[in-house]
């Protein structure tokens, strides 16, 4: 039912920045499958981080060139490829002028909180890469493509864990008898999460000042690996991070269960976050593109489907392991982060549902299939990469070689 044409018969053109990454690759294939005209823009810096830190995806992944060639041979559909850094404005200008996007989906940031807390240079890189990259995208839209809708990946972590309900972007406050609807307070807890706050402020300002149309998708933690399109061929397989720097909670726990490593609950384990299946990431992005923000509108959606604490995730994986005959243990790891470990958490997430999101909730069958997938690749697991190696308290100015 999604309208993929812009009024004329020309298909909608979507630039996917970060289209070689975990969320971006699945999204680029899905949009291409749905007959959007897709261009991937990526600097491949994520693959460089793996080389520099001695990490690797659990699943074997093909080069971006082979991925796109395979997609073309299977479906006849072309995905354009622009390799470059969006912090390089000349490069971004060329891609904008040649592709003329109707929408830009911006996944192209350094997205690991632990990476941003390794040392000063990684903290500076993260904020420079993310904030300047996004600023460049805003300037490119203003200069070359005013109609273009920016769909920007933000994070639920922008809000932190306040002791009141979290709203979707804005909160109405009455103060000394006057009432206003204001941006929801931000309390991010890593240099990475803070980069998203800075992005949100820059985007909100340019919506007001220049009439940019933007949707900030405050996404929760993503889990899962398979989507309809990446399932079509092994060369289309998505990346799956499990290491202590890039791996995220539920994905890590499944790998840990598969190799017989105790589940690494940090601190008390009461840390509660919003989570979603990667199949819902692509659905949400498609819904945002199909229903664009208005000119001058800074629209904010909370993009997750369910809330879990770390302890709840550990017990779900323990139960799923038992069904497969695996005895899963849990260990309490001294928390390498500075965060609340027992707290109130109740975040609204209704706007995407109102647009038509049909959530894939975390079910026994998904956990079974995710566990089976991690078991399939368990010989590729480097057990040394599982324990966390980055401390929020110990970050310093001295360059750190994590592998040392
Ligand atoms: P990822 O690291 O797998 O992918 C990001 C991609 O962007 C990589 O391919 C990388 O090479 C590219 N990139 C980074 N900086 C770039 C630059 N300056 N120019 C061009 N390309 C650049 O990350 P992901 O897990 O797919 O996350 C995508 C987005 O979604 C990020 O913005 C992240 O903050 C957000 N997000 C992710 C999750 C999650 O659980 N994975 C949750 C919430 C939000
Ligand atoms: N945690 C554990 N054990 C682990 C890994 C994590 O207890 O082995 C805990 C963390 O301390 C934290 C929670 O689980 O309290 C989530 O950690 P995470 O690493 O899964 O997620 P996070 O660092 O928040 O980052 C991820 C993505 C990031 C995205 C964010 C969404 O890497 O790009 O922005 O999820 S959110 O959490 O909603 O901010």
């Amino acid at each position: 039912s999604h309208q993929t044409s812009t009024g004329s018969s020309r298909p909608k053109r979507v630039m996917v920045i970060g289209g070689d990454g975990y969320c971006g690759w699945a999204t680029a294939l899905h949009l291409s499958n749905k007959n959007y005209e897709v261009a991937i823009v990526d600097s491949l810096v994520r693959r460089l981080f793996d080389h520099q830190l001695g990490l690797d995806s659990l699943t074997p992944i093909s080069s971006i060139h082979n991925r796109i060639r395979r997609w073309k041979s299977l479906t006849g559909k072309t995905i354009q490829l622009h390799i470059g850094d969006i912090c390089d404005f000349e490069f971004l200008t060329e891609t904008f002028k040649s592709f003329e996007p109707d929408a830009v989906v911006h996944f192209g940031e350094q997205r690991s909180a632990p990476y941003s807390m390794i040392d000063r240079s990684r903290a500076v890189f993260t904020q420079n890469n993310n904030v300047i990259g996004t600023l460049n995208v805003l300037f490119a839209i203003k200069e070359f493509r005013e109609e273009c809708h920016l769909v920007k990946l933000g994070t639920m972590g922008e809000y932190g864990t306040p002791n009141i309900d979290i709203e979707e972007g804005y909160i109405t406050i009455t103060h000394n008898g006057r009432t206003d609807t204001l941006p929801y307070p931000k309390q991010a807890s890593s240099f990475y999460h803070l980069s998203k706050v800075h992005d949100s402020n820059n985007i909100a300002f340019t919506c007001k000042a220049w009439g940019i149309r933007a949707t900030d998708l405050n996404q929760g933690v993503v889990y899962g690996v398979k989507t309809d399109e990446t399932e079509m061929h092994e060369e289309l397989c998505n990346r799956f991070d499990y290491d202590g720097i890039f791996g995220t909670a539920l994905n890590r726990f499944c790998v840990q269960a598969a190799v017989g490593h105790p589940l690494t609950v940090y601190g008390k384990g009461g840390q509660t976050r919003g989570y979603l299946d990667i199949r819902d990431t692509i659905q949400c992005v498609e819904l945002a593109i199909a229903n664009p923000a208005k000119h001058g509108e800074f629209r904010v959606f909370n993009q997750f489907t369910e809330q879990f604490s770390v302890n709840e995730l550990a017990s779900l994986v323990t139960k799923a392991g038992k069904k497969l005959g695996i005895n899963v243990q849990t260990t309490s790891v001294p928390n390498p982060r500075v965060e609340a470990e027992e707290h109130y958490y109740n975040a609204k997430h209704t706007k995407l549902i109102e647009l038509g999101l049909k959530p894939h909730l975390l079910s026994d069958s998904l956990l079974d299939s995710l566990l089976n997938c991690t078991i399939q690749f368990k010989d590729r697991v480097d057990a040394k990469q599982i324990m966390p190696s980055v401390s929020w308290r110990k970050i310093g100015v001295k360059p750190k070689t994590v592998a040392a």
Side-chain angles (χ1 to χ4, degrees):
S1 67
H2 303 311
Q3 186 72 16
T4 59
S5 71
T6 45
S8 68
S9 60
R10 194 178 96 149
K12 219 178 213 182
R13 303 169 72 80
V14 183
M15 177 182 284
V16 181
I17 303 175
D20 186 47
Y22 172 57
C23 298
W25 174 238
T27 302
L29 288 186
H30 179 72
L31 294 174
S32 175
N33 209 18
K34 289 289 180 82
N35 295 319
Y36 288 90
E37 196 77 49
V38 174
I40 286 177
V41 175
D42 202 300
S43 61
L44 309 187
V45 72
R46 177 69 191 82
R47 293 180 188 247
L48 181 65
F49 300 149
D50 276 354
H51 291 311
Q52 291 178 332
L53 298 171
L55 310 173
D56 201 358
S57 165
L58 173 75
T59 47
I61 53 172
S62 297
S63 71
I64 185 64
H65 307 85
N66 286 338
R67 282 174 154 187
I68 287 175
R69 259 196 295 268
R70 177 58 63 186
W71 179 246
K72 169 96 181 175
S73 77
L74 285 171
T75 64
K77 293 175 194 295
T78 301
I79 293 179
Q80 282 192 30
L81 177 63
H82 302 266
I83 303 286
D85 184 340
I86 61 166
C87 293
D88 172 357
F89 192 69
E90 258 177 74
F91 161 76
L92 188 64
T93 297
E94 284 315 305
T95 63
F96 255 76
K97 285 187 171 163
S98 76
F99 184 66
E100 303 186 321
D102 301 309
V104 171
V105 188
H106 181 14
F107 294 101
E109 298 198 332
Q110 191 303 95
R111 69 116 177 111
S112 158
Y115 186 95
S116 76
M117 301 300 291
I118 293 176
D119 56 19
R120 187 205 63 88
S121 80
R122 265 65 169 240
V124 170
F125 170 83
T126 299
Q127 294 209 350
N128 190 80
N129 184 64
N130 297 1
V131 176
I132 308 303
T134 297
L135 261 180
N136 280 348
V137 171
L138 292 166
F139 272 97
I141 292 173
K142 177 183 198 295
E143 203 69 16
F144 310 118
R145 210 63 197 157
E146 269 186 311
E147 291 302 307
C148 181
H149 175 209
L150 173 61
V151 177
K152 165 67 167 56
L153 272 290
T155 177
M156 285 301 292
E158 292 184 38
Y159 301 120
T161 55
N163 199 31
I164 57 171
D165 292 345
I166 294 173
E167 304 298 317
E168 292 200 74
Y170 299 91
I171 184 167
T172 301
I173 296 176
T174 300
H175 179 65
N176 293 345
R178 302 181 61 82
T179 300
D180 202 354
T181 297
L182 300 167
Y184 196 93
K186 306 291 168 70
Q187 302 186 74
S189 61
S190 74
F191 288 121
Y192 153 71
H193 287 97
L194 282 159
S195 75
K196 297 286 196 184
V197 175
H198 308 329
D199 284 341
S200 293
N201 284 333
N202 286 340
I203 300 167
F205 167 70
T206 60
C207 287
K208 258 189 211 155
W210 305 338
I212 300 275
R213 50 207 311 196
T215 303
D216 204 358
L217 297 174
N218 284 341
Q219 187 168 240
V221 188
V222 183
Y223 60 81
V225 67
K226 294 180 180 177
T227 59
D228 287 346
E229 292 82 14
T230 61
E231 273 298 84
M232 288 167 61
H233 192 279
E234 63 179 23
E235 262 190 316
L236 301 178
C237 186
N238 206 344
R239 67 174 310 117
F240 190 91
D241 302 313
Y242 66 89
D243 62 86
I245 295 177
F246 286 96
T248 50
L250 182 55
N251 286 352
R252 269 165 68 67
F253 286 179
C254 289
V255 171
Q256 292 167 359
V259 299
H261 190 290
L263 307 185
T264 53
V265 169
Y266 297 167
K268 296 199 178 95
Q271 302 94 309
T272 303
R273 302 286 183 269
Y275 287 80
L276 74 164
D277 188 306
I278 190 165
R279 293 172 294 176
D280 291 339
T281 295
I282 63 187
Q283 218 192 126
C284 291
V285 169
E286 187 185 358
L287 284 167
I289 294 169
N291 303 281
K294 296 190 283 284
H295 280 284
E297 183 186 8
F298 178 62
R299 193 170 63 165
V300 182
F301 296 159
N302 290 349
Q303 180 167 315
F304 72 96
T305 61
E306 290 172 280
Q307 296 184 182
F308 298 103
S309 70
V310 174
N311 285 329
E312 285 169 332
L313 292 179
S315 83
L316 286 169
V317 171
T318 304
K319 223 174 64 193
K322 204 167 275 165
K323 273 205 291 176
L324 298 178
I326 313 174
N327 177 18
V328 181
Q329 304 291 320
T330 291
T331 178
S332 173
V333 176
N335 199 336
R337 306 186 182 197
V338 177
E339 61 185 357
E341 294 174 1
E342 285 172 318
H343 59 88
Y344 177 79
Y345 200 78
N346 183 36
K348 296 269 168 64
H349 54 111
T350 53
K351 291 187 184 173
L352 283 157
I353 301 279
E354 281 160 19
L355 283 182
L357 172 66
K358 301 274 181 292
H360 294 85
L361 298 181
L362 182 59
S363 62
D364 289 352
S365 66
L366 185 272
L367 261 183
D368 287 356
S369 98
L370 195 53
L371 256 180
N372 276 315
C373 172
T374 58
I375 291 165
Q376 182 191 345
F377 293 111
K378 78 180 174 54
D379 293 342
R380 289 175 49 89
V381 172
D382 178 355
K384 293 189 298 302
Q385 305 298 349
I386 289 179
M387 290 301 280
S389 56
V390 177
S391 159
W392 264 227
R393 291 180 180 85
K394 291 188 191 139
I395 182 172
V397 298
K398 194 165 171 261
K400 197 171 165 211
T401 306
V402 172

